[in-house]
Amino acid sequence: MEFNFNPVAFSIFGIEIRWYALIIIAGMLLGTYFAKKEFVRRGFDEDFVYDVLFVIVPIGILGARFWYVLFEWDYYSLNPIQILNIRAGGLAIHGGIIFGLLALYIYGKKKNLPFWDMADVLIPSLVLGQAIGRWGNFMNQEAHGGPTDLPWGIIIDGVKVHPTFLYESIGDMVIFLILINWRKNNPDKGKISATYFIGYGILRFFVEGLRTDSLYIGSIRTAQLISIIFVIVGIIIFYISDKNNLPPYFKEEKVVKKEEKIINFK
C-alpha cells in the first residue's frame, strides 16, 4: 500500500494548517469528552475538566518539546532559534506525559484534590488521544518502522516499511477500552493509572524497537528506557494500591456535597 497525502489540510491567511494538528486537536476533544463525563459522574461541575486541562495541556506541550530538544541538543545547540519552531516538528510524547502529570500533581496540591483520583479520570482520555494522534504521523509519513515484507507494510519513499504508527494506535485503543470499561467498576485508586503505565510501557518498548527515528542516549533508545521505567513505576503503583498503602495525601477520604451529589475519594 502506497499513500501520498498532502500534509497540509488548508491555509488561513497564508498560514498552513496541517492534518497533524487537526488530528491532534480531534484526539484532545474526544478525550476531553470522556474525561468530562467521568468527572461529572463523580460529582464535579461539568466545567471542572476545562480548568484542569487549561493547566496541564500547555505544560504537557512544553514538556514534549523540551524532551525532544534535550535529546537532540547537538542540533539545537547550533540552531537555538529552531527551539521555538514547533511547526517544524519535534514533540516527544514521554516528555508530555511526565510534565503533564507533574502539572496535575501541583494543581491537585494547590486545590487540595487527590492526584491519583484525577489521574485515573484523565489517563484513559490521554491514551485515547494518543491512539488518534498517531494518525497525524501517518499523514506526515513519519514515525514509521524499518523495511518489512509483511502484507500490511506501507510504502514510503519507495520502501515498504512497518506502519508503527498503526501498531501503536491499535495498542493504545485496546488500552483505552480496557481502562474505560474497568473504571466503571470503581477499582482502587491508582490502579487505572498503574495499568496504563504498564500497558503503554510494554507497547511502546516493542514498537520503538521497529522505528527508525528514535531519540538516543548513547546507543540506548530513550523511549525504550523510559518505557521500562513506566512499567516498573506502574507495577509499584499497582502494588501499593492493592495494599491500600498509597501516600497519606492520596489516602485521605474527601466528601464534597455539591448540587446534591457526593464526591467520595477513597
Side-chain angles (χ1 to χ4, degrees):
M1 295 179 289
E2 184 170 9
F3 301 93
N4 292 292
F5 292 112
N6 184 348
V8 179
F10 54 87
S11 297
I12 300 177
F13 302 116
I15 300 175
E16 294 181 345
I17 307 300
R18 293 178 173 264
W19 284 111
Y20 182 90
L22 296 177
I23 291 171
I24 292 293
I25 291 171
M28 290 176 60
L29 291 175
L30 194 55
T32 299
Y33 168 77
F34 280 97
K36 180 178 179 179
K37 283 188 63 177
E38 180 63 12
F39 274 125
V40 170
R41 185 178 78 89
R42 296 183 179 216
F44 283 90
D45 185 274
E46 62 179 12
D47 292 331
F48 175 76
V49 67
Y50 303 117
D51 296 336
V52 177
L53 293 179
F54 183 78
V55 174
I56 65 175
V57 170
I59 299 300
I61 293 173
L62 290 174
R65 182 59 172 175
F66 170 79
W67 200 262
Y68 185 85
V69 169
L70 177 65
F71 292 105
E72 289 286 341
W73 186 243
D74 288 344
Y75 169 77
Y76 287 105
S77 63
L78 300 175
N79 303 275
I81 192 64
Q82 290 300 314
I83 294 176
L84 302 177
N85 188 15
I86 296 180
R87 287 179 57 84
L91 296 173
I93 186 62
H94 281 127
I97 294 169
I98 293 169
F99 277 74
L101 288 175
L102 179 61
L104 182 64
Y105 175 79
I106 295 173
Y107 178 86
K109 290 288 283 186
K110 287 186 175 295
K111 298 291 186 179
N112 195 29
L113 293 168
F115 169 76
W116 288 115
D117 293 275
M118 292 191 295
D120 285 347
V121 171
L122 292 169
I123 277 179
S125 294
L126 166 64
V127 73
L128 174 62
Q130 290 176 247
I132 296 171
R134 279 301 173 196
W135 287 89
N137 297 134
F138 171 66
M139 297 301 296
N140 282 352
Q141 296 194 351
E142 62 187 7
H144 57 77
T148 181
D149 292 326
L150 293 171
W152 54 79
I154 60 175
I155 298 174
I156 295 180
D157 296 330
V159 179
K160 191 177 183 182
V161 298
H162 282 284
T164 47
F165 78 91
L166 177 62
Y167 300 162
E168 186 169 334
S169 179
I170 293 173
D172 287 338
M173 185 59 70
V174 170
I175 294 171
F176 166 73
L177 292 174
I178 291 172
L179 297 184
I180 203 74
N181 283 285
W182 188 25
R183 191 171 65 185
K184 295 175 183 177
N185 297 323
N186 299 313
D188 293 338
K189 69 165 62 180
K191 283 191 175 179
I192 293 292
S193 300
T195 303
Y196 165 76
F197 283 123
I198 296 169
Y200 182 64
I202 293 172
L203 171 66
R204 183 59 187 272
F205 181 88
F206 287 104
V207 171
E208 190 68 24
L210 298 172
R211 285 178 56 166
T212 59
D213 60 345
S214 300
L215 301 174
Y216 284 86
I217 301 176
S219 60
I220 301 173
R221 294 176 190 253
T222 305
Q224 287 189 315
L225 176 61
I226 300 300
S227 293
I228 292 172
I229 295 173
F230 269 27
V231 172
I232 294 172
V233 169
I235 292 172
I236 292 172
I237 295 171
F238 200 98
Y239 174 79
I240 60 180
S241 175
D242 191 53
K243 296 296 184 181
N244 196 27
N245 192 32
L246 287 170
Y249 175 76
F250 304 128
K251 284 177 62 182
E252 291 176 354
E253 182 174 287
K254 182 176 181 180
V255 180
V256 181
K257 189 170 184 179
K258 184 170 184 177
E259 296 179 357
E260 298 182 354
K261 297 178 181 178
I262 298 296
I263 305 170
N264 193 6
F265 293 138
K266 295 181 180 179

